Amino acid sequence: MCEALLDEGVEYLFGYPGGAIMPFYDALPDYPLKHILVRHEQAAAHAADGYARATGKVGVCIATSGPGATNIVTGLATAQMDSVPLVAITGQVGRPALGKDSFQETNVMGMTLPFTKHSFLVEDPDELYPTMRRAFDIARSGRPGPVLVDVPKDVQFAACENHGYRRLREVPESVASPALEAAAALLRKARRPLILAGHGITLSGAEMELRLLAERTGVPVVTTLLGLSAFPEDHPLYIGWPGMHGAASVNRAIDRSDLLFAVGMRFDDRITGAVDKFAPNAKIVHIDVDPSELGKVVRPTVGIAADAKAALRGVLSHFEDAEEREDDARVPWREEIAKSQEGEKRREEGASGEYGPIRILRAIKEIAGEETRLVTDVGQHQMWAAKFFPFTKKNSHITSGGLGTMGFALPAAMGVAFAYPDEPVWVVAGDGGFQMNVQELATIRDNGLNIKVAVLNNGYLGMVRQWQQFFHNRRYSETPMTGPDYEKFAAAYGLHGKTVKPGDDIEAAIRWAEGQDGCTIIDFHIDPEANVYPMIPSGMSVHEMIEESESSAAYGGA
């Protein structure tokens, strides 16, 4: 097992030992593999996930049988929903004990089949090495995802061979010329087109191709939540991200567009809302590496099953030179979008000097610098970060999108920090999600990770409370939440902490955190009823969007 990991170029493992995986841990000290002891198996999966997202390599997590294996399930589902390459290795009871309800026996293979790319139970010792190697091939090929390798304890003890493996040969992506030509023709003819870029851009390393296509065609770029940082937000062609909590101007632009050039995204329901009302006047080019995504939600005019980088290069071949801007028929379209953004920009500028999420997030970027990688948890703070933290560095935004996993950010940030120890890593979390895996502060301390944490503390499960406010007549059932004194809590772990309340100096607190060695927690107390605007109710369309009026307090209570 260790030799297979080394042969795959693995450097870091995130795990937690136990009885059924003990033979592996007994062998581990004899190999140059860096094992990170987490404090909970779910955190091991999220840390491997964060490492994989940050590097593009396959992340690896380890757990024992029974509760150890079941604890990583949420992390596997998180990786599956967001197409993250992961290999999870679990110990299992010995083969003679299988199927007998033995101590700490669970059918983890059967349990994980619905949300992994593949799950293996290794019953033949001679299949162990090739199965390990095959797991990595599956995890990173095509549409990436998690793979489980479940290894009975007696198989780990058995003698076996480490040869006979033949690497799977990936067939190079070939994009049919007629499909490319059709996509390019639609893009050339459209007068109100948008490029809609998703996580597939980052996964395929197609950021440069995306930028070239936008610049050669003059088409505005929209990114999904997971597509943030695939296109620099300070670029004049970038207009924002869409969906339930995306910018109103972006949602309206999609509604008015005549072509959506969608690449590396899957038309998630948080983007489309009511599918029958989504982009009603637009033809759709859909490029995705997974053929099953084409037509699954939105029927494309042209569907191309291909890697984003390969497909974009093919389309770019039809736009060799930048088009003339003076005669560009899309100038009125870009001007129309810019005009629709004016009200949003006024509200944001009006609130940027006030104490609140906008000022906090922009101050982090300004003080931490351009190289900052931001890892967010799930909730209101996640939406505020997506809206107000300027992502100008490639692959600098890490979050749980499809599954929306609270407790993701702190352990995922560990993976990012191990991948890039010399670059600033910030966590932005709510007081609810932060408490879900807060035990990993011990892992962070023991490994000397320089992770800075901003807790946007509103004393609520904020996003649920917002829904209760809008749709349940302010019946705040089980959403008020308390937590520790984070200054004292940080001190208990041997870390630095500071509480910041309205009226305190936000920038000074962030500069203080940046000046501390190791992990630092800043507990920002914010308005308990601050809301995320706009909001499209679930299953509704852009025409039912709830917006904040310009006259109301920016991003405050309704």
Side-chain angles (χ1 to χ4, degrees), residues 414-462:
M414 297 191 308
V416 176
F418 278 112
Y420 297 103
D422 298 324
E423 295 183 11
V425 177
W426 273 80
V427 167
V428 173
D431 48 314
F434 183 63
Q435 293 185 71
M436 285 192 169
N437 272 312
V438 73
Q439 76 284 339
E440 296 311 314
L441 290 174
T443 311
I444 291 170
R445 175 201 60 206
D446 288 357
N447 288 278
L449 300 179
N450 188 29
I451 297 172
K452 312 302 181 185
V453 181
V455 179
L456 301 191
N457 188 346
N458 56 13
Y460 277 103
L461 292 175

Side-chain angles (χ1 to χ4, degrees), residues 29 83 115 128 132 163 183 191 333 340 354 389 442 458 536 545:
S83 304
F115 42 81
L128 181 52
M132 291 280 293
H163 61 263
R191 292 297 172 259
W333 173 231
S340 72
E354 301 174 5
F389 187 93
N458 56 13
I536 300 176
M545 185 164 47

Side-chain angles (χ1 to χ4, degrees), residues 298-309:
V298 175
R299 184 177 295 277
T301 309
V302 176
I304 301 174
D307 173 78
K309 192 182 189 79

Side-chain angles (χ1 to χ4, degrees), residues 196-200 224 262-268 271 286-288 293:
L196 183 49
H199 194 205
T224 65
V263 55
M265 56 83 65
R266 57 186 179 85
F267 290 105
D268 180 83
I271 287 179
H286 190 186
I287 299 170
D288 198 280
E293 291 296 340

Side-chain angles (χ1 to χ4, degrees), residues 349-365:
E349 289 169 3
S352 61
E354 301 174 5
Y355 182 95
I358 298 179
R359 183 174 164 190
I360 292 168
L361 289 159
R362 289 185 172 168
I364 290 173
K365 178 60 179 278

Side-chain angles (χ1 to χ4, degrees), residues 326-382:
E326 292 78 5
D327 300 326
D328 189 349
R330 295 169 188 146
V331 168
W333 173 231
R334 294 195 295 271
E335 291 175 344
E336 179 184 338
I337 293 172
K339 185 173 180 60
S340 72
Q341 294 176 314
E342 291 175 358
E344 293 168 338
K345 290 179 179 178
R346 281 197 301 270
R347 287 193 292 274
E348 291 172 19
E349 289 169 3
S352 61
E354 301 174 5
Y355 182 95
I358 298 179
R359 183 174 164 190
I360 292 168
L361 289 159
R362 289 185 172 168
I364 290 173
K365 178 60 179 278
E366 181 179 349
I367 295 169
E370 290 296 318
E371 296 302 306
T372 302
R373 296 178 187 271
L374 191 72
V375 187
T376 65
D377 215 81
V378 172
Q380 287 180 313
H381 68 277
Q382 179 188 31

